[in-house]
Amino acid sequence: MTIANRLAFAACSVLAFASHAANAQQAPAVDMIKADARAGATVKQMTADEKVVLTNGIMPLPFFPGTVIPEGAVFGAGYIPGIPRLGVPVLTETDASLGVSWVGGIRKDGATALPSGLAQAATWNPQVMYDGGAMIGSEARAKGFNVLLAGGVNLMRDPRNGRTFEYLAEDPYLSGILVGAAIRGVQSNNIISTIKHFALNGQETGRKYVDVKITESAARESDLLAFQIGIEQGQPGSVMCAYNRVHGDQACASDWLLNKVLKQSWGYKGFVMSDWGAVPGVEAALGGLDQQSGAQLDKALFFGDVLKAKAASDPGYAAKLDDMNRRVLTAIYASGLDKNPAKTGGTIDFAKNAQVAELTAKQGIVLLRNKGVLPLAKTAKSIAVIGGYADSGVLAGSGSSLVQGPEGPAATRSLGGDSPFSALMQQNYHRSAPLTAIKAMAPGATVTFRDGRYIADAVEKAKQADVAIIFATEWRTEGLDQPDLSLPDGQDALIAAVAAANPNTIVVLETGGPVAMPWLDKTAAVIEAWYGGARGGQAIASVLFGETNPGGRLPVTFPASLDQLPRPKLDGADWVEPNFSGDPEPGKDQLHTDYDIEGSDVGYRWFARKGQKALFPFGHGLSYTTFESTGLKVKGMTASFTVKNTGKRSGDEVAQVYLVSRGGEAKQRLVGFQRVSLEPGAATTVSVKFDPRVLADWKNGGWSLAAGEYAFALGKDAEALSAPVKVKMAAKLWKD
């Protein structure tokens, strides 16, 4: 595809997303063409030694014997030396999508923790995503980092995935729009953001070994589309490849993913960095990898002298090495790292940034069930608060994305063994205690707390109170998947017993993904608060007492049982990882997972295809008011309709439009959405533009929109749909 054609298609894509991008602040335009030209000129001036400076980096942490931490390095995820002779700056990297990572507290500082990725996505609000990205990007810059390893956008193909909390959704359109806004926010600080983990990184079990089977059409219409939209919208300087294999090749050495799809089909000009410890060998350079990250975690430093020797003897490697440097430099110049250097010791307004985190948490809380008990009156007489460390803080997910404030965690629970990275595998709580916030909301109430370890004790306090609020936690971490969807530590039994003792039992879920709820029908209300971040406790109390009218909607499906999933048993659940360090050998020690079972029908699409009812469907969320969406009209690639607040409180509705059939055959796809705020009795007209790729199929190397009848419906969620509106569409074929 020519550059002119790529630019023309990009312009069409921008128009397709205008209804969302217009609502989110725009970062300064990234002029990749000028940056690429400048990068090419710099590469011509580089010596052979200089050409293997930007191609590899270390983890500047004192955990690795023999590692020399360079002067001026900031403790964090990565350090790549600069080239002073050419004015090329050092790259200083930190995790992740939820804020500047804690790294076990080794920097003796802290950062503002955004709520989990799922909580952010549950806002269905690109502006909130942009503001959160801008905030964490500003803190990264203030700490001396110029690369933030953000932009996690893998789709939830399995609700047991341990990193589900880091990611956004199960739908490619929703995920792509939201991650693009977050990346724009991060890069508004003149730093580089990644988008990750490319691609099809659907589980933590055997993550270096699992080999994904999927057709190109299914991948293009699902996981890859999320990345494609996110790249178009956010223009990240870097793409981080994944640990898993795809079609037999490590993702970080996949010619199909990195060269054919990302760089050739999509025309991506930035650079591909590896995940830490994901490089199989020097041949990954030919596969499309541009930078080896955290080289201490690989078998060897492949992208240093080994790569230089290859380039000296092989013209193919020489040309590839020039391209690798050009791409890293393009990202540096496009984000202005050389002209706007990040420096340590910057000022951080933690109070202001906490407000960004709190607003995100409030907008992302989802009211799943309410039998009239919520909102609570501030004049409540007696409240029993039970479980979930609610007297201390709100739960955080663990792993490389863990963020903690300047004072450190409110509480920790060691679950990670005695490895050098065990601090990253602790159960951590942010210093935002729901109990304190509840007491502040109801100063006249008698509020008691029990930790929930003894069911009889909790039941007794519940009987004595007008209302019982149970905080139920489900911890997740990078590196481990969940064995099932139950709540751990006997919490399901605790909830059932308390609900039987007090009919006004409210369950507040702090989970990293979907969970089962065998006690659901016994409860008066359930809210999903996710991992609430730096101000999660205040956000929860605000929703419970009605200061905030919940407007969050589920970005993922909560299944009724594991039997509803494409893979009821997680691939590798009974697999024993080989007892050695290093990368798996080709053809050996591998797991296999078949994504062709569901293909591009991920999440709610799978449920629609199978005719299954979820416990709570994608897009679900209740409010303290009521809304009505009517008058759907579809013309071309635009839908318009009216949303009215028919209740007595102001509140937010997330208007959703779905494709429900094509050519007379059922086929469900989210094609448009918009979050709107309305006063009681007020109405507004909503207009959303479709991305034609969401309606089309990937066939024969391009997109194919079949001629015929297309039916669309308004949705309260993916299952509660209006009567369909049918329109005729003409056939269309196009390339990326």
Side-chain angles (χ1 to χ4, degrees):
M1 194 174 188
T2 66
I3 292 177
N5 286 339
R6 289 191 195 284
L7 292 175
F9 181 77
C12 294
S13 298
V14 169
L15 289 174
F17 305 135
S19 61
H20 296 290
N23 292 329
Q25 297 179 32
Q26 295 295 300
V30 178
D31 194 335
M32 298 296 282
I33 295 177
K34 287 185 178 179
D36 176 61
R38 185 182 169 200
T42 302
V43 170
K44 291 179 181 178
Q45 302 175 56
M46 296 173 75
T47 66
D49 287 338
E50 288 171 339
K51 287 182 180 181
V52 289
V53 170
L54 299 178
T55 55
N56 67 86
I58 62 167
M59 291 187 78
L61 296 172
F63 302 151
F64 304 98
T67 294
V68 177
I69 299 177
E71 183 179 353
V74 186
F75 288 147
Y79 176 91
I80 295 89
I83 308 173
R85 183 182 74 85
L86 298 175
V88 179
V90 166
L91 297 182
T92 50
E93 302 171 331
T94 179
D95 293 296
S97 301
L98 311 182
V100 180
S101 64
W102 178 238
V103 201
I106 193 171
R107 286 193 308 271
K108 309 298 182 185
D109 67 357
T112 304
L114 282 173
S116 65
L118 284 180
Q120 295 177 51
T123 70
W124 291 57
N125 191 334
Q127 184 65 58
V128 165
M129 299 294 297
Y130 177 93
D131 292 343
M135 184 273 285
I136 63 175
S138 72
E139 292 197 358
R141 181 179 177 82
K143 294 175 183 294
F145 295 108
N146 57 17
V147 180
L148 186 59
L149 309 177
V153 74
N154 295 95
L155 300 188
M156 190 192 80
R157 281 186 175 264
D158 195 297
R160 294 161 291 194
N161 183 359
R163 297 187 85 168
T164 294
F165 75 93
E166 291 186 51
Y167 302 138
L168 298 177
E170 64 190 24
D171 179 78
Y173 181 69
L174 177 64
S175 295
I177 292 293
L178 295 182
V179 80
I183 291 167
R184 286 199 308 275
V186 170
Q187 295 193 157
S188 69
N189 295 282
N190 291 118
I191 67 174
I192 291 171
S193 175
T194 61
I195 188 170
K196 64 183 186 183
H197 301 90
F198 194 67
L200 299 155
N201 187 189
Q203 65 183 62
E204 289 297 284
T205 300
R207 65 183 185 176
K208 283 190 176 184
Y209 304 87
V210 65
D211 188 6
V212 174
K213 175 179 177 289
I214 189 169
T215 64
E216 181 168 6
S217 59
R220 291 271 196 167
E221 295 165 17
S222 55
D223 302 70
L224 295 186
L225 184 56
F227 277 94
Q228 187 176 10
I229 293 172
I231 289 170
E232 291 166 352
Q233 289 283 284
Q235 300 182 63
S238 182
V239 172
M240 184 191 295
C241 50
Y243 285 119
N244 54 283
R245 290 175 176 269
V246 180
H247 303 156
D249 296 321
Q250 295 288 154
C252 284
S254 171
D255 177 67
W256 175 64
L257 279 178
L258 305 184
N259 287 327
K260 291 184 170 61
V261 174
L262 178 65
K263 296 179 178 180
Q264 295 169 17
S265 180
W266 297 350
Y268 181 66
K269 295 295 184 184
F271 71 101
V272 178
M273 69 167 68
S274 73
D275 206 336
W276 274 233
V279 183
V282 69
E283 68 278 2
L286 298 182
L289 182 65
D290 301 308
Q291 190 179 81
Q292 181 180 9
S293 307
Q296 307 104 307
L297 299 182
D298 288 314
K299 286 182 178 180
L301 174 57
F302 301 114
F303 280 22
D305 288 343
V306 175
L307 180 58
K308 184 175 73 171
K310 286 283 189 181
S313 61
D314 186 327
Y317 271 97
K320 178 60 73 171
L321 183 56
D322 281 353
D323 183 65
M324 293 161 69
N325 278 280
R326 183 168 185 156
R327 289 176 175 279
V328 178
L329 289 165
T330 295
I332 289 172
Y333 296 152
S335 292
L337 269 57
D338 57 329
K339 297 180 179 178
N340 302 278
K343 299 177 181 179
T344 58
T347 300
I348 297 175
D349 188 338
F350 283 106
K352 180 180 178 181
N353 290 351
Q355 293 176 2
V356 175
E358 183 175 348
L359 176 62
T360 304
K362 287 177 177 177
Q363 287 218 0
I365 289 174
V366 182
L367 179 61
L368 296 176
R369 172 182 170 87
N370 188 17
K371 305 304 289 184
V373 70
L374 293 178
L376 295 173
K378 293 186 178 182
T379 56
K381 299 299 183 183
S382 58
I383 303 172
V385 178
I386 299 166
Y389 288 81
D391 59 332
S392 300
V394 290
L395 185 60
S398 294
S400 59
S401 68
L402 176 64
V403 183
Q404 282 294 353
E407 297 178 348
T412 62
R413 180 183 177 191
S414 181
L415 297 168
D418 59 358
S419 75
F421 294 97
S422 60
L424 299 177
M425 302 280 284
Q426 288 182 337
Q427 197 174 90
N428 278 256
Y429 289 78
H430 294 303
R431 290 180 179 271
S432 180
L435 179 63
T436 303
I438 287 169
K439 288 181 175 180
M441 283 284 182
T446 299
V447 181
T448 59
F449 176 75
R450 290 294 184 271
D451 60 21
R453 289 183 301 153
Y454 295 98
I455 292 179
D457 187 29
V459 166
E460 186 59 35
K461 285 301 173 186
K463 288 179 178 178
Q464 297 170 8
D466 295 331
V467 176
I469 307 174
I470 302 181
F471 285 81
T473 60
E474 184 243 18
W475 175 73
R476 298 195 186 200
T477 181
E478 176 181 357
L480 296 173
D481 290 323
Q482 306 301 92
D484 54 38
L485 299 182
S486 65
L487 292 172
D489 301 323
Q491 292 177 98
D492 286 321
L494 172 67
I495 295 171
V498 170
N502 189 324
N504 293 323
T505 293
I506 300 161
V507 179
V508 178
L509 295 169
E510 297 177 34
T511 73
V515 293
M517 303 180 204
W519 35 260
L520 180 64
D521 291 342
K522 299 177 182 178
T523 62
V526 181
I527 70 170
E528 175 58 83
W530 315 104
Y531 300 156
R535 300 274 292 182
Q538 291 90 334
I540 290 168
S542 181
V543 169
L544 288 173
F545 286 89
E547 282 195 353
T548 296
N549 191 345
R553 302 293 184 265
L554 292 180
V556 293
T557 301
F558 278 44
S561 75
L562 293 176
D563 290 337
Q564 293 180 319
L565 303 179
R567 285 163 293 282
K569 180 181 178 181
L570 181 71
D571 288 324
D574 54 359
W575 176 74
V576 178
E577 186 167 336
N579 186 25
F580 62 85
S581 60
D583 297 308
E585 296 181 32
K588 298 181 180 180
D589 310 311
Q590 291 177 30
L591 288 170
H592 298 274
T593 191
D594 185 2
Y595 285 172
D596 282 331
I597 294 172
E598 71 272 31
S600 62
D601 289 333
V602 181
Y604 71 91
R605 298 177 175 187
W606 169 260
F607 277 68
R609 183 170 122 188
K610 304 296 287 186
Q612 299 177 149
K613 295 295 182 183
L615 179 64
F616 290 108
F618 174 85
H620 172 76
L622 305 176
S623 172
Y624 297 151
T625 189
T626 55
F627 296 95
E628 183 179 58
S629 296
T630 57
L632 176 62
K633 298 178 182 178
V634 178
K635 184 177 181 180
M637 288 290 165
T638 301
S640 61
F641 51 95
T642 299
V643 180
K644 182 177 181 179
N645 184 339
T646 56
K648 298 180 180 180
R649 287 175 174 261
S650 60
D652 288 7
E653 171 71 313
V654 176
Q656 304 165 43
V657 184
Y658 292 87
L659 170 72
V660 293
S661 71
R662 191 179 64 180
E665 296 183 2
K667 192 173 189 69
Q668 190 163 352
R669 299 283 186 270
L670 176 72
V671 295
F673 67 92
Q674 188 169 317
R675 182 166 179 148
V676 295
S677 299
L678 292 170
E679 295 297 319
T684 188
T685 299
V686 174
S687 179
V688 297
K689 294 183 181 298
F690 304 155
D691 182 333
R693 291 170 296 193
V694 178
L695 306 179
D697 296 319
W698 180 267
K699 290 182 177 180
N700 302 318
W703 293 101
S704 173
L705 187 69
E709 183 180 79
Y710 289 70
F712 300 90
L714 299 173
K716 296 293 290 185
D717 55 50
E719 292 182 3
L721 302 170
S722 69
V725 171
K726 299 177 181 180
V727 297
K728 296 285 187 180
M729 290 192 175
K732 182 180 179 181
L733 301 173
W734 71 98
K735 299 283 187 179
D736 274 337

